[in-house]
Amino acid sequence: AQTVTQSQPEMSVQEAETVTLSCTYDTSENNYYLFWYKQPPSRQMILVIRQEAYKQQNATENRFSVNFQKAAKSFSLKISDSQLGDTAMYFCAFTMNNAGNMLTFGGGTRLMVKP
Amino acid sequence: GAGVSQSPRYKVAKRGQDVALRCDPISGHVSLFWYQQALGQGPEFLTYFQNEAQLDKSGLPSDRFFAERPEGSVSTLKIQRTQQEDSAVYLCASSFAGRQLGNEQFFGPGTRLTVL
């Protein structure tokens, strides 16, 4: 079974600064996807960024980027120039190419951006 | 276009009551997922549909949980004889294609179920 671990239950960052959220996972598969999802207080989960395991290049989406270390099974999210609207729960998630792409989530990191 | 919608947004049930939670996926989305999110935790997979076929129900915690998607669009998650441990947010998600790796899942706002 796959597991996803987020070791930081809560983090805070000052507005405009950079913060990194950690995620590790465990799998014996070679072909998979990793995701970071954001869940604001309104509860609707939104995809932030996605990484294909066979791609060595780290994914980036505007202020969001990942550091994907396949051998170490590590997938951290870096948020640059943090904004108040980034305040939310962040979930790291994993999917394999079976079971209809069901997502396995970590326990989440609550990020507070302070003005 | 409209996103994934769920109803009701909040449901309070007395222990032993049956409840039905509805999910309207994005039009044209083939895949539909149900997840259960306990307070302060990450979502956990319950079941998966591809069109009207329920291809995976390995995450359903007991035989009191039942899901259907009879016409391949709207889905209903039914919980019979609710227990206090069923209290959680139930999330529905849909994605466009079938078994293709990495398809983005679009989530609904969830239904918060409280069992008294």
Side-chain angles (χ1 to χ4, degrees):
Chain A
Q2 280 59 235
T3 59
V4 179
T5 302
Q6 294 179 248
S7 59
Q8 304 152 316
E10 293 187 359
M11 292 195 71
S12 63
V13 62
Q14 291 296 132
E15 194 176 6
E17 292 188 348
T18 296
V19 63
T20 299
L21 308 184
S22 301
C23 173
T24 58
Y25 60 95
D26 187 23
T27 183
S28 58
E29 298 291 323
N30 195 47
N31 188 23
Y32 51 86
Y33 268 72
L34 294 161
F35 305 84
W36 278 98
Y37 275 89
K38 171 185 178 181
Q39 189 177 43
S42 66
R43 272 207 321 274
Q44 195 130 12
M45 198 89 70
I46 304 166
L47 177 65
V48 174
I49 197 165
R50 132 180 62 195
Q51 174 77 42
E52 302 166 56
Y54 67 88
K55 286 189 176 180
Q56 292 187 344
Q57 186 174 6
N58 289 326
T60 62
E61 287 287 343
N62 300 313
R63 297 184 295 109
F64 299 88
S65 62
V66 300
N67 183 4
F68 174 48
Q69 301 290 328
K70 191 173 183 179
K73 296 180 182 175
S74 171
F75 183 62
S76 61
L77 173 69
K78 185 171 80 171
I79 306 174
S80 303
D81 186 25
S82 297
Q83 300 176 1
L84 296 179
D86 295 334
T87 293
M89 285 290 293
Y90 286 82
F91 292 97
C92 179
F94 169 100
T95 188
M96 295 189 304
N97 191 26
N98 62 13
N101 304 327
M102 57 166 279
L103 291 167
T104 300
F105 287 88
T109 296
R110 183 178 304 278
L111 176 67
M112 173 73 71
V113 179
K114 298 180 178 179
Chain B
V4 178
S5 61
Q6 293 186 245
S7 60
R9 291 291 307 275
Y10 303 90
K11 177 69 179 178
V12 178
K14 293 183 179 178
R15 190 173 57 182
Q17 284 185 330
D18 298 348
V19 298
L21 312 180
R22 177 187 171 106
C23 172
D24 285 80
I26 293 172
S27 178
H29 277 196
V30 168
S31 297
L32 186 145
F33 303 81
W34 284 99
Y35 295 87
Q36 179 190 59
Q37 186 176 20
L39 186 64
Q41 297 183 23
E44 293 189 353
F45 170 77
L46 293 177
T47 187
Y48 160 66
F49 290 85
Q50 184 172 321
N51 296 307
E52 69 279 3
Q54 188 176 20
L55 298 187
D56 188 344
K57 53 182 181 180
S58 62
L60 296 177
S62 77
D63 58 8
R64 296 185 296 103
F65 286 70
F66 172 77
E68 60 183 5
R69 193 186 185 198
E71 297 179 355
S73 55
V74 172
S75 177
T76 304
L77 176 67
K78 297 178 180 178
I79 309 173
Q80 297 176 327
R81 305 181 303 281
T82 52
Q83 303 294 315
Q84 286 186 325
E85 61 263 29
D86 300 335
S87 296
V89 174
Y90 291 85
L91 297 173
C92 176
S94 69
S95 67
F96 176 70
R99 292 194 175 202
Q100 293 182 21
L101 188 65
N103 283 323
E104 178 180 353
Q105 294 186 22
F106 294 84
F107 283 81
T111 294
R112 180 179 296 278
L113 173 65
T114 303
V115 181
L116 303 176

